[in-house]
Amino acid sequence: MPVVALAAAALALAGCTGAGPQAHAPSPTQTAWTEAPSATAAPGGGSTSFDANGTAEQNRTAFDTAIRGVLAGNAQADGNTVAAALKSAGFPPAATQVTASTTSANLQPGSIMVGVKIGDSCLVGQWGTAVDGYQSTVAPALGSGGCLIGGIPAVG
């Protein structure tokens, strides 16, 4: 995965600065990915409808329900198809990012991710042949203000 390779390269280069260990920034915390809850069960009792005033965690069930609806009909759906379903469910398109649905060699990637920024948090979903089904998580937004490294604005 390009993100893993980028992170490994960054860590390798960080060791070449000549600065002592105290000059290094603290390591980021690992976000736990979980199999997305079913449409009938949500952490914290979330609704299956998008709530513009709700938090990312409160909107997780609506996010998962919209994505699962697409993937039920096409387990290899591309990111923009999923983003269109999120838009139809009420999620703001301007806050939605996706990773590429094809590689630079025009092949299908092992997984595709979609992220929606809500407040200071992001709903992030991932699916594809390299992952076991569909997973989602709620994570802090990146320092850049987005949800995905290398993510592009969704079309849809």
Side-chain angles (χ1 to χ4, degrees), residues 58-86:
Q58 291 166 335
N59 278 296
R60 185 172 177 190
T61 299
F63 179 81
D64 291 336
T65 299
I67 295 173
R68 282 184 185 278
V70 171
L71 298 179
N74 178 6
Q76 303 306 315
D78 66 31
N80 285 326
T81 301
V82 169
L86 290 169

Side-chain angles (χ1 to χ4, degrees), residues 19-125:
Q22 56 275 38
H24 292 264
S27 299
T29 57
Q30 177 69 32
T31 300
W33 284 83
T34 58
E35 183 175 340
S38 70
T40 57
S47 169
T48 58
S49 300
F50 174 70
D51 178 2
N53 297 314
T55 65
E57 189 63 46
Q58 291 166 335
N59 278 296
R60 185 172 177 190
T61 299
F63 179 81
D64 291 336
T65 299
I67 295 173
R68 282 184 185 278
V70 171
L71 298 179
N74 178 6
Q76 303 306 315
D78 66 31
N80 285 326
T81 301
V82 169
L86 290 169
K87 178 181 177 183
S88 293
F91 287 88
T96 305
Q97 293 179 290
V98 296
T99 57
S101 294
T102 58
T103 68
S104 58
N106 204 30
L107 301 172
Q108 185 174 11
S111 68
I112 300 172
M113 297 176 76
V114 63
V116 178
K117 186 171 185 248
I118 300 176
D120 292 335
S121 297
C122 293
L123 286 163
V124 181

